[in-house]
Every structure is written in C-alpha cells, then in structure tokens.
C-alpha cells in the first residue's frame, strides 16, 4: 500500500516485476522459500522511491546529473525500509538493494569490491529491465516484447546476466 498510495505507475511496475521474477524463478526450479523471497523483492524493489520527491519520480523529461544522483538512492532507501520490517526476509532486502547493480558491477549502489551480491539479484534486475522497456512512459515509447528482448540481449554480459536473459527469452516465447 505504501507504493500504491505513492504512485500508480510504480505500483503497476512493481507487480509486473514480481510476476516476471517469479516466472524466471519457476523456470530455474528455485525452491519455494526462495521464490517467496524473489516475489517479495520484485514487488518491493522500488519501495525506496517512496522516500524521494514524487515530482522527481514523475518527471516527464530527462534527469539532470543531480536528479539522477537522487534517484540512485532508492535501492539503499528500500534496503533500509525493509530492514525495519521484521517479516521481510533479509534475502529480499538484499535483492532490493542490488537490483541496479549491473552484472559487471558498474551499477549502483557502489559497494565494496569484496561485497558478495545475492545470487538472485539479477533475476530482479532482468525483470525490471524487461518491464521498463515494454512500458509506455512520457519520455519513452514502449517496445514490443521482441524488441525488448533484443535490446536486453545487447545489454547481457554488461548490465544484466546473459543466462537470465536467455531464460526470459525462452519463457516469453516468440510472441507476438
């Protein structure tokens, strides 16, 4: 409800990311307990945005470097929020924190090189990327599923895990 009351787009995006993440987890035959953690992380991956100014989240044009630095705080803000919730598994909180850490570790937040990334964070990152690419926004035209997967193949190995992109391509099929 925190996300839904904050921004309708962020809420819809969060539900989509959760569903796509669960589909990936199912295709990977991940255990039921880990699927719960992944589903929760997908649903709450952007909860940290609720700690930022709404006009910044809804800005229809490009962000200034200062505004982008502010946006980059949302994974850590989400991690802090989830850390205060006793019923949230720490694995979910870590996936939320790491969903913008690129596959090559050049994303954000910048963490110590020795920091061990949660093994399923890239599931959330992959689902987040797919939904962002296929959703119409004021500053971007929605791509078709095939266009999105092609863009993601180009990003794989850098921004996102190539194994998860391949699995996503397989489970999405050749629709339309």
């Amino acid at each position: 409800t925190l996300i839904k009351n904050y921004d309708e787009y962020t809420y819809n995006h969060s539900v989509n990311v959760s569903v796509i993440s669960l589909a990936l987890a199912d295709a990977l035959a991940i255990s039921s307990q880990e699927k719960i953690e992944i589903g929760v992380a997908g649903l709450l991956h952007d909860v940290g945005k609720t700690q930022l100014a709404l006009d910044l989240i809804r800005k229809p044009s490009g962000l200034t470097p200062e505004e982008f630095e502010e946006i980059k705080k949302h994974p850590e803000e989400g991690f802090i929020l989830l850390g205060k919730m006793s019923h949230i598994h720490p694995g979910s909180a870590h996936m939320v924190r790491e969903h913008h850490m690129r596959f090559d570790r050049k994303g954000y937040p910048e963490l110590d090189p020795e920091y061990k990334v949660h093994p399923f964070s890239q599931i959330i990152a992959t689902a987040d990327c797919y939904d962002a690419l296929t959703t119409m926004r004021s500053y971007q035209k929605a791509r078709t599923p095939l266009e999105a997967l092609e863009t993601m193949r180009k990003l794989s190995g850098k921004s996102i895990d190539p194994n998860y992109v391949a699995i996503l391509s397989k489970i999405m099929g050749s629709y339309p």
Side-chain angles (χ1 to χ4, degrees):
T1 56
L2 184 64
I3 297 169
K4 186 162 179 44
N5 291 338
Y6 176 71
D7 179 59
E8 192 73 24
Y9 166 78
T10 304
Y11 171 74
N12 290 330
H13 170 64
S14 297
V15 171
N16 291 345
V17 169
S18 184
V19 170
I20 295 165
S21 295
L22 286 168
L24 280 166
D26 194 53
L28 291 161
I30 291 172
S31 75
S32 295
Q33 177 57 44
E34 290 171 319
K35 281 182 192 172
I36 291 168
E37 293 171 30
I38 290 166
V40 168
L43 190 61
L44 299 176
H45 78 284
D46 276 345
V47 72
K49 287 183 177 180
T50 64
Q51 305 304 296
L52 306 178
L54 187 56
D55 60 336
L56 182 61
I57 300 301
R58 290 184 177 169
K59 187 173 179 186
S61 58
L63 299 172
T64 67
E66 296 79 19
E67 290 168 332
F68 186 57
E69 287 303 313
E70 197 62 25
I71 290 286
K72 286 168 57 174
K73 294 177 182 177
H74 83 271
E76 195 67 40
E77 292 290 338
F79 180 73
I80 291 166
L81 272 174
L82 296 184
K84 295 175 183 176
M85 299 177 187
S86 61
H87 58 287
I88 299 292
H89 190 278
S92 296
H94 283 279
M95 286 182 254
V96 166
R97 180 188 209 187
E98 300 162 4
H99 78 276
H100 282 294
M101 277 189 100
R102 293 168 37 134
F103 183 69
D104 62 10
R105 293 194 61 131
K106 292 182 181 174
Y108 57 91
E110 290 182 31
L111 300 169
D112 185 86
E114 300 302 314
Y115 177 85
K116 187 168 171 54
V117 177
H118 192 285
F120 300 138
S121 293
Q122 277 290 305
I123 290 176
I124 308 303
T126 302
D128 184 32
C129 181
Y130 180 82
D131 189 66
L133 289 170
T134 56
T135 303
M136 174 73 165
R137 297 298 307 262
S138 59
Y139 54 84
Q140 119 185 333
K141 180 182 149 234
R143 291 173 178 84
T144 67
L146 290 176
E147 290 169 337
L149 290 170
E150 183 56 36
T151 298
M152 292 174 73
R153 281 187 204 98
K154 292 174 185 170
L155 296 172
S156 70
K158 297 177 233 82
S159 295
I160 47 182
D161 186 318
N163 295 321
Y164 293 151
V165 173
I167 292 166
L168 182 66
S169 294
K170 185 177 177 183
I171 62 176
M172 292 306 220
S174 58
Y175 174 85

